[in-house]
Amino acid sequence: MNRRVLVVEPSRTMRKLLEIYLQQSGHQVALFASYAEAGFALTLPQFRTNPPEVAFVSMNTSWPESYRFIEELRQRPRGAFTKIVVMVTQEEHTHPKLQRLLQDGQVIALIKPFRVQDALALASTPAYILPNTIETR
């Protein structure tokens, strides 16, 4: 199923790789380097009338703005995002604040480094059949 996908990732290389693979799978991709850019874009008419269905968000537990952005996504009407994928390191995955976020079935952790196939599967699979953490090792 082709979906509208939002990617928020500071690394230009990671953004480009995700864009290439997601587009090759038929998804429409909107890329942003920062939470501020993505937050502003979501207020624009084209995103309000046709919001992304999946958000891939690079998260760092020491960045308060990453939690604020995830909360902003979670507060949007339920139809706006079917799932929010937070991309975190193995060490960050055990952080208590992140664990609280993962209790919401809408938020899924993708542990870095991850396989492209895992990201593609998350973009295409309905959220209700996914575990709250995807780990590749």
Side-chain angles (χ1 to χ4, degrees):
M1 177 187 334
N2 298 341
R3 296 205 169 152
R4 292 174 307 282
V5 180
L6 171 76
V7 175
V8 183
E9 168 60 59
S11 164
R12 183 172 187 250
T13 303
M14 279 297 298
R15 276 194 319 273
K16 195 62 179 171
L17 286 171
L18 285 170
E19 177 185 36
I20 290 167
Y21 284 105
L22 288 165
Q23 284 180 344
Q24 284 179 346
S25 292
H27 302 294
Q28 298 172 14
V29 184
L31 301 171
F32 300 96
S34 72
Y35 307 114
E37 289 175 24
F40 175 74
L42 290 172
T43 66
L44 298 174
Q46 65 265 30
F47 282 103
R48 278 187 279 143
T49 58
N50 206 13
E53 299 163 282
V54 180
F56 283 89
V57 181
S58 181
M59 188 169 186
N60 186 316
T61 55
S62 63
W63 298 341
E65 63 270 16
S66 63
Y67 288 104
R68 280 193 297 272
F69 185 71
I70 296 296
E71 281 303 316
E72 182 183 322
L73 294 179
R74 288 179 64 219
Q75 298 306 316
R76 292 184 171 275
R78 274 289 183 197
F81 289 94
T82 56
K83 76 183 95 155
I84 300 166
V85 179
V86 292
M87 300 177 290
V88 295
T89 64
Q90 181 66 43
E91 296 78 28
E92 293 172 317
H93 180 253
T94 58
H95 194 277
K97 253 181 140 173
L98 179 59
Q99 288 300 308
R100 280 193 298 276
L101 274 177
L102 295 176
Q103 291 174 357
D104 176 356
Q106 187 182 18
V107 180
I108 300 162
L110 181 59
I111 308 297
K112 295 176 184 176
F114 55 85
R115 295 180 304 177
V116 171
Q117 293 87 345
D118 293 333
L120 295 175
L122 286 170
S124 300
T125 308
Y128 61 87
I129 64 170
L130 292 169
N132 68 351
T133 301
I134 308 293
E135 183 175 358
T136 306
R137 288 244 167 156

mmCIF file of all heavy atoms in Angstrom, residues 85-122:
data_model
loop_
_atom_site.group_PDB
_atom_site.id
_atom_site.type_symbol
_atom_site.label_atom_id
_atom_site.label_comp_id
_atom_site.label_asym_id
_atom_site.label_seq_id
_atom_site.Cartn_x
_atom_site.Cartn_y
_atom_site.Cartn_z
ATOM 1 N N VAL A 85 7.114 6.286 13.913
ATOM 2 C CA VAL A 85 8.280 5.431 14.104
ATOM 3 C C VAL A 85 9.412 6.304 14.624
ATOM 4 O O VAL A 85 9.850 7.222 13.935
ATOM 5 C CB VAL A 85 8.695 4.748 12.785
ATOM 6 C CG1 VAL A 85 9.937 3.878 13.001
ATOM 7 C CG2 VAL A 85 7.545 3.931 12.222
ATOM 8 N N VAL A 86 9.856 6.032 15.856
ATOM 9 C CA VAL A 86 10.990 6.772 16.406
ATOM 10 C C VAL A 86 12.245 5.952 16.170
ATOM 11 O O VAL A 86 12.303 4.771 16.504
ATOM 12 C CB VAL A 86 10.807 7.125 17.898
ATOM 13 C CG1 VAL A 86 9.691 8.137 18.085
ATOM 14 C CG2 VAL A 86 10.537 5.906 18.744
ATOM 15 N N MET A 87 13.232 6.576 15.557
ATOM 16 C CA MET A 87 14.497 5.899 15.267
ATOM 17 C C MET A 87 15.469 6.267 16.378
ATOM 18 O O MET A 87 15.835 7.429 16.531
ATOM 19 C CB MET A 87 15.012 6.343 13.894
ATOM 20 C CG MET A 87 14.034 6.024 12.771
ATOM 21 S SD MET A 87 14.555 6.609 11.141
ATOM 22 C CE MET A 87 14.394 8.384 11.305
ATOM 23 N N VAL A 88 15.857 5.262 17.178
ATOM 24 C CA VAL A 88 16.703 5.484 18.351
ATOM 25 C C VAL A 88 17.828 4.459 18.410
ATOM 26 O O VAL A 88 17.757 3.410 17.773
ATOM 27 C CB VAL A 88 15.886 5.394 19.661
ATOM 28 C CG1 VAL A 88 14.863 6.494 19.758
ATOM 29 C CG2 VAL A 88 15.223 4.038 19.815
ATOM 30 N N THR A 89 18.849 4.763 19.204
ATOM 31 C CA THR A 89 19.933 3.810 19.421
ATOM 32 C C THR A 89 19.498 2.781 20.466
ATOM 33 O O THR A 89 18.525 2.999 21.206
ATOM 34 C CB THR A 89 21.212 4.512 19.923
ATOM 35 O OG1 THR A 89 20.941 5.085 21.203
ATOM 36 C CG2 THR A 89 21.684 5.577 18.947
ATOM 37 N N GLN A 90 20.224 1.691 20.534
ATOM 38 C CA GLN A 90 19.924 0.641 21.512
ATOM 39 C C GLN A 90 19.964 1.194 22.935
ATOM 40 O O GLN A 90 19.112 0.870 23.755
ATOM 41 C CB GLN A 90 20.935 -0.515 21.366
ATOM 42 C CG GLN A 90 20.699 -1.657 22.319
ATOM 43 C CD GLN A 90 19.390 -2.381 22.040
ATOM 44 O OE1 GLN A 90 19.054 -2.642 20.899
ATOM 45 N NE2 GLN A 90 18.659 -2.715 23.078
ATOM 46 N N GLU A 91 20.935 2.050 23.224
ATOM 47 C CA GLU A 91 21.066 2.621 24.564
ATOM 48 C C GLU A 91 19.868 3.503 24.916
ATOM 49 O O GLU A 91 19.387 3.500 26.045
ATOM 50 C CB GLU A 91 22.357 3.440 24.684
ATOM 51 C CG GLU A 91 23.632 2.644 24.522
ATOM 52 C CD GLU A 91 23.958 2.314 23.056
ATOM 53 O OE1 GLU A 91 23.559 3.072 22.138
ATOM 54 O OE2 GLU A 91 24.597 1.275 22.833
ATOM 55 N N GLU A 92 19.397 4.264 23.951
ATOM 56 C CA GLU A 92 18.268 5.163 24.196
ATOM 57 C C GLU A 92 16.949 4.415 24.332
ATOM 58 O O GLU A 92 16.027 4.899 24.983
ATOM 59 C CB GLU A 92 18.150 6.186 23.066
ATOM 60 C CG GLU A 92 19.301 7.152 23.010
ATOM 61 C CD GLU A 92 19.249 8.018 21.764
ATOM 62 O OE1 GLU A 92 18.974 7.487 20.674
ATOM 63 O OE2 GLU A 92 19.489 9.216 21.911
ATOM 64 N N HIS A 93 16.880 3.253 23.751
ATOM 65 C CA HIS A 93 15.636 2.487 23.756
ATOM 66 C C HIS A 93 15.148 2.180 25.164
ATOM 67 O O HIS A 93 13.952 2.057 25.404
ATOM 68 C CB HIS A 93 15.817 1.196 22.957
ATOM 69 C CG HIS A 93 14.591 0.369 22.933
ATOM 70 N ND1 HIS A 93 14.490 -0.793 23.668
ATOM 71 C CD2 HIS A 93 13.406 0.521 22.300
ATOM 72 C CE1 HIS A 93 13.291 -1.316 23.475
ATOM 73 N NE2 HIS A 93 12.615 -0.535 22.651
ATOM 74 N N THR A 94 16.049 2.059 26.122
ATOM 75 C CA THR A 94 15.664 1.709 27.490
ATOM 76 C C THR A 94 15.336 2.933 28.345
ATOM 77 O O THR A 94 14.975 2.785 29.506
ATOM 78 C CB THR A 94 16.787 0.903 28.166
ATOM 79 O OG1 THR A 94 17.987 1.689 28.150
ATOM 80 C CG2 THR A 94 17.017 -0.425 27.455
ATOM 81 N N HIS A 95 15.449 4.128 27.794
ATOM 82 C CA HIS A 95 15.178 5.355 28.544
ATOM 83 C C HIS A 95 13.713 5.359 29.005
ATOM 84 O O HIS A 95 12.812 5.078 28.220
ATOM 85 C CB HIS A 95 15.464 6.571 27.661
ATOM 86 C CG HIS A 95 15.543 7.840 28.419
ATOM 87 N ND1 HIS A 95 14.428 8.558 28.764
ATOM 88 C CD2 HIS A 95 16.608 8.523 28.903
ATOM 89 C CE1 HIS A 95 14.792 9.635 29.418
ATOM 90 N NE2 HIS A 95 16.117 9.645 29.517
ATOM 91 N N PRO A 96 13.473 5.665 30.290
ATOM 92 C CA PRO A 96 12.096 5.605 30.818
ATOM 93 C C PRO A 96 11.092 6.480 30.061
ATOM 94 O O PRO A 96 9.945 6.067 29.844
ATOM 95 C CB PRO A 96 12.241 6.091 32.262
ATOM 96 C CG PRO A 96 13.673 5.849 32.604
ATOM 97 C CD PRO A 96 14.448 5.984 31.326
ATOM 98 N N LYS A 97 11.499 7.682 29.653
ATOM 99 C CA LYS A 97 10.573 8.555 28.922
ATOM 100 C C LYS A 97 10.172 7.932 27.581
ATOM 101 O O LYS A 97 9.015 7.995 27.178
ATOM 102 C CB LYS A 97 11.229 9.916 28.668
ATOM 103 C CG LYS A 97 10.691 11.019 29.508
ATOM 104 C CD LYS A 97 11.377 12.313 29.168
ATOM 105 C CE LYS A 97 10.393 13.445 29.151
ATOM 106 N NZ LYS A 97 11.025 14.740 28.985
ATOM 107 N N LEU A 98 11.138 7.323 26.912
ATOM 108 C CA LEU A 98 10.841 6.668 25.641
ATOM 109 C C LEU A 98 9.946 5.453 25.871
ATOM 110 O O LEU A 98 9.014 5.205 25.112
ATOM 111 C CB LEU A 98 12.118 6.264 24.918
ATOM 112 C CG LEU A 98 11.919 5.546 23.583
ATOM 113 C CD1 LEU A 98 11.133 6.418 22.606
ATOM 114 C CD2 LEU A 98 13.238 5.149 22.990
ATOM 115 N N GLN A 99 10.195 4.707 26.921
ATOM 116 C CA GLN A 99 9.366 3.538 27.215
ATOM 117 C C GLN A 99 7.912 3.941 27.452
ATOM 118 O O GLN A 99 6.997 3.239 27.035
ATOM 119 C CB GLN A 99 9.917 2.777 28.431
ATOM 120 C CG GLN A 99 11.199 2.030 28.153
ATOM 121 C CD GLN A 99 11.008 0.993 27.058
ATOM 122 O OE1 GLN A 99 10.115 0.169 27.101
ATOM 123 N NE2 GLN A 99 11.858 1.054 26.051
ATOM 124 N N ARG A 100 7.693 5.102 28.081
ATOM 125 C CA ARG A 100 6.319 5.590 28.268
ATOM 126 C C ARG A 100 5.673 5.905 26.921
ATOM 127 O O ARG A 100 4.500 5.617 26.709
ATOM 128 C CB ARG A 100 6.313 6.814 29.178
ATOM 129 C CG ARG A 100 6.423 6.472 30.657
ATOM 130 C CD ARG A 100 6.100 7.654 31.543
ATOM 131 N NE ARG A 100 6.995 8.791 31.376
ATOM 132 C CZ ARG A 100 8.173 8.929 31.977
ATOM 133 N NH1 ARG A 100 8.602 7.992 32.808
ATOM 134 N NH2 ARG A 100 8.919 9.995 31.777
ATOM 135 N N LEU A 101 6.442 6.496 26.010
ATOM 136 C CA LEU A 101 5.905 6.789 24.671
ATOM 137 C C LEU A 101 5.508 5.512 23.948
ATOM 138 O O LEU A 101 4.512 5.472 23.236
ATOM 139 C CB LEU A 101 6.950 7.518 23.822
ATOM 140 C CG LEU A 101 7.047 9.010 23.925
ATOM 141 C CD1 LEU A 101 8.188 9.522 23.050
ATOM 142 C CD2 LEU A 101 5.757 9.685 23.535
ATOM 143 N N LEU A 102 6.324 4.470 24.120
ATOM 144 C CA LEU A 102 6.077 3.219 23.405
ATOM 145 C C LEU A 102 4.845 2.468 23.907
ATOM 146 O O LEU A 102 4.377 1.544 23.252
ATOM 147 C CB LEU A 102 7.311 2.312 23.485
ATOM 148 C CG LEU A 102 8.553 2.839 22.778
ATOM 149 C CD1 LEU A 102 9.731 1.911 23.007
ATOM 150 C CD2 LEU A 102 8.294 3.043 21.296
ATOM 151 N N GLN A 103 4.313 2.870 25.059
ATOM 152 C CA GLN A 103 3.100 2.243 25.558
ATOM 153 C C GLN A 103 1.890 2.615 24.705
ATOM 154 O O GLN A 103 0.885 1.924 24.703
ATOM 155 C CB GLN A 103 2.870 2.618 27.019
ATOM 156 C CG GLN A 103 3.889 1.996 27.923
ATOM 157 C CD GLN A 103 3.755 2.470 29.358
ATOM 158 O OE1 GLN A 103 2.925 3.321 29.677
ATOM 159 N NE2 GLN A 103 4.571 1.929 30.232
ATOM 160 N N ASP A 104 2.020 3.709 23.969
ATOM 161 C CA ASP A 104 0.982 4.111 23.020
ATOM 162 C C ASP A 104 1.171 3.252 21.772
ATOM 163 O O ASP A 104 2.238 3.248 21.176
ATOM 164 C CB ASP A 104 1.149 5.595 22.681
ATOM 165 C CG ASP A 104 0.185 6.092 21.624
ATOM 166 O OD1 ASP A 104 -0.591 5.276 21.078
ATOM 167 O OD2 ASP A 104 0.209 7.290 21.340
ATOM 168 N N GLY A 105 0.170 2.531 21.367
ATOM 169 C CA GLY A 105 0.286 1.650 20.205
ATOM 170 C C GLY A 105 0.583 2.375 18.908
ATOM 171 O O GLY A 105 0.922 1.758 17.909
ATOM 172 N N GLN A 106 0.490 3.697 18.915
ATOM 173 C CA GLN A 106 0.747 4.503 17.726
ATOM 174 C C GLN A 106 2.242 4.746 17.521
ATOM 175 O O GLN A 106 2.674 5.059 16.430
ATOM 176 C CB GLN A 106 0.007 5.833 17.881
ATOM 177 C CG GLN A 106 0.027 6.724 16.694
ATOM 178 C CD GLN A 106 -0.696 8.038 16.952
ATOM 179 O OE1 GLN A 106 -0.932 8.430 18.087
ATOM 180 N NE2 GLN A 106 -1.036 8.715 15.895
ATOM 181 N N VAL A 107 3.051 4.593 18.586
ATOM 182 C CA VAL A 107 4.487 4.870 18.534
ATOM 183 C C VAL A 107 5.259 3.558 18.534
ATOM 184 O O VAL A 107 5.039 2.693 19.375
ATOM 185 C CB VAL A 107 4.937 5.757 19.719
ATOM 186 C CG1 VAL A 107 6.431 6.030 19.660
ATOM 187 C CG2 VAL A 107 4.152 7.058 19.743
ATOM 188 N N ILE A 108 6.176 3.436 17.566
ATOM 189 C CA ILE A 108 6.986 2.226 17.400
ATOM 190 C C ILE A 108 8.448 2.641 17.365
ATOM 191 O O ILE A 108 8.803 3.617 16.711
ATOM 192 C CB ILE A 108 6.617 1.510 16.084
ATOM 193 C CG1 ILE A 108 5.149 1.116 16.100
ATOM 194 C CG2 ILE A 108 7.521 0.300 15.835
ATOM 195 C CD1 ILE A 108 4.590 0.814 14.742
ATOM 196 N N ALA A 109 9.312 1.888 18.050
ATOM 197 C CA ALA A 109 10.750 2.178 18.034
ATOM 198 C C ALA A 109 11.432 1.337 16.968
ATOM 199 O O ALA A 109 11.188 0.136 16.859
ATOM 200 C CB ALA A 109 11.372 1.891 19.397
ATOM 201 N N LEU A 110 12.290 1.977 16.204
ATOM 202 C CA LEU A 110 13.136 1.299 15.216
ATOM 203 C C LEU A 110 14.562 1.530 15.686
ATOM 204 O O LEU A 110 15.038 2.664 15.727
ATOM 205 C CB LEU A 110 12.907 1.878 13.822
ATOM 206 C CG LEU A 110 13.705 1.266 12.669
ATOM 207 C CD1 LEU A 110 13.416 -0.231 12.546
ATOM 208 C CD2 LEU A 110 13.368 1.976 11.370
ATOM 209 N N ILE A 111 15.220 0.450 16.104
ATOM 210 C CA ILE A 111 16.544 0.544 16.716
ATOM 211 C C ILE A 111 17.620 0.690 15.645
ATOM 212 O O ILE A 111 17.686 -0.095 14.707
ATOM 213 C CB ILE A 111 16.840 -0.705 17.585
ATOM 214 C CG1 ILE A 111 15.697 -0.967 18.581
ATOM 215 C CG2 ILE A 111 18.171 -0.551 18.295
ATOM 216 C CD1 ILE A 111 15.472 0.096 19.600
ATOM 217 N N LYS A 112 18.466 1.715 15.818
ATOM 218 C CA LYS A 112 19.595 1.956 14.907
ATOM 219 C C LYS A 112 20.754 1.065 15.311
ATOM 220 O O LYS A 112 20.980 0.871 16.499
ATOM 221 C CB LYS A 112 20.058 3.412 15.002
ATOM 222 C CG LYS A 112 19.052 4.424 14.531
ATOM 223 C CD LYS A 112 19.615 5.825 14.791
ATOM 224 C CE LYS A 112 18.633 6.902 14.429
ATOM 225 N NZ LYS A 112 19.138 8.236 14.756
ATOM 226 N N PRO A 113 21.528 0.557 14.405
ATOM 227 C CA PRO A 113 21.335 0.589 12.960
ATOM 228 C C PRO A 113 20.229 -0.393 12.575
ATOM 229 O O PRO A 113 20.045 -1.424 13.204
ATOM 230 C CB PRO A 113 22.688 0.140 12.398
ATOM 231 C CG PRO A 113 23.266 -0.727 13.458
ATOM 232 C CD PRO A 113 22.741 -0.174 14.767
ATOM 233 N N PHE A 114 19.490 -0.055 11.552
ATOM 234 C CA PHE A 114 18.378 -0.907 11.118
ATOM 235 C C PHE A 114 18.523 -1.230 9.642
ATOM 236 O O PHE A 114 19.267 -0.584 8.915
ATOM 237 C CB PHE A 114 17.021 -0.240 11.388
ATOM 238 C CG PHE A 114 16.869 1.130 10.793
ATOM 239 C CD1 PHE A 114 16.472 1.304 9.486
ATOM 240 C CD2 PHE A 114 17.127 2.252 11.562
ATOM 241 C CE1 PHE A 114 16.328 2.565 8.942
ATOM 242 C CE2 PHE A 114 16.984 3.530 11.031
ATOM 243 C CZ PHE A 114 16.588 3.690 9.718
ATOM 244 N N ARG A 115 17.823 -2.277 9.220
ATOM 245 C CA ARG A 115 17.826 -2.648 7.806
ATOM 246 C C ARG A 115 16.763 -1.838 7.080
ATOM 247 O O ARG A 115 15.707 -1.549 7.635
ATOM 248 C CB ARG A 115 17.529 -4.138 7.656
ATOM 249 C CG ARG A 115 18.605 -5.024 8.255
ATOM 250 C CD ARG A 115 18.273 -6.459 8.093
ATOM 251 N NE ARG A 115 16.943 -6.692 8.691
ATOM 252 C CZ ARG A 115 16.308 -7.828 8.685
ATOM 253 N NH1 ARG A 115 16.840 -8.868 8.110
ATOM 254 N NH2 ARG A 115 15.138 -7.958 9.242
ATOM 255 N N VAL A 116 17.047 -1.495 5.858
ATOM 256 C CA VAL A 116 16.102 -0.737 5.039
ATOM 257 C C VAL A 116 14.789 -1.508 4.932
ATOM 258 O O VAL A 116 13.710 -0.918 4.969
ATOM 259 C CB VAL A 116 16.700 -0.456 3.644
ATOM 260 C CG1 VAL A 116 15.659 0.122 2.706
ATOM 261 C CG2 VAL A 116 17.884 0.470 3.755
ATOM 262 N N GLN A 117 14.848 -2.818 4.848
ATOM 263 C CA GLN A 117 13.638 -3.631 4.728
ATOM 264 C C GLN A 117 12.714 -3.429 5.928
ATOM 265 O O GLN A 117 11.496 -3.472 5.782
ATOM 266 C CB GLN A 117 13.988 -5.128 4.598
ATOM 267 C CG GLN A 117 14.698 -5.480 3.324
ATOM 268 C CD GLN A 117 16.218 -5.308 3.430
ATOM 269 O OE1 GLN A 117 16.745 -4.679 4.344
ATOM 270 N NE2 GLN A 117 16.932 -5.845 2.462
ATOM 271 N N ASP A 118 13.304 -3.231 7.102
ATOM 272 C CA ASP A 118 12.481 -2.997 8.290
ATOM 273 C C ASP A 118 11.734 -1.673 8.181
ATOM 274 O O ASP A 118 10.555 -1.585 8.528
ATOM 275 C CB ASP A 118 13.335 -3.016 9.558
ATOM 276 C CG ASP A 118 13.898 -4.394 9.852
ATOM 277 O OD1 ASP A 118 13.278 -5.402 9.451
ATOM 278 O OD2 ASP A 118 14.975 -4.468 10.479
ATOM 279 N N ALA A 119 12.419 -0.631 7.713
ATOM 280 C CA ALA A 119 11.766 0.669 7.529
ATOM 281 C C ALA A 119 10.655 0.573 6.484
ATOM 282 O O ALA A 119 9.567 1.124 6.667
ATOM 283 C CB ALA A 119 12.791 1.734 7.137
ATOM 284 N N LEU A 120 10.928 -0.132 5.397
ATOM 285 C CA LEU A 120 9.915 -0.287 4.348
ATOM 286 C C LEU A 120 8.700 -1.058 4.870
ATOM 287 O O LEU A 120 7.553 -0.719 4.555
ATOM 288 C CB LEU A 120 10.505 -0.994 3.130
ATOM 289 C CG LEU A 120 11.598 -0.226 2.384
ATOM 290 C CD1 LEU A 120 12.179 -1.081 1.271
ATOM 291 C CD2 LEU A 120 11.070 1.086 1.847
ATOM 292 N N ALA A 121 8.951 -2.079 5.666
ATOM 293 C CA ALA A 121 7.847 -2.856 6.236
ATOM 294 C C ALA A 121 7.009 -1.983 7.168
ATOM 295 O O ALA A 121 5.772 -2.056 7.146
ATOM 296 C CB ALA A 121 8.382 -4.065 6.990
ATOM 297 N N LEU A 122 7.656 -1.140 7.961
ATOM 298 C CA LEU A 122 6.917 -0.255 8.863
ATOM 299 C C LEU A 122 6.078 0.760 8.098
ATOM 300 O O LEU A 122 4.994 1.136 8.527
ATOM 301 C CB LEU A 122 7.884 0.472 9.799
ATOM 302 C CG LEU A 122 8.480 -0.392 10.904
ATOM 303 C CD1 LEU A 122 9.598 0.342 11.608
ATOM 304 C CD2 LEU A 122 7.403 -0.819 11.877
#
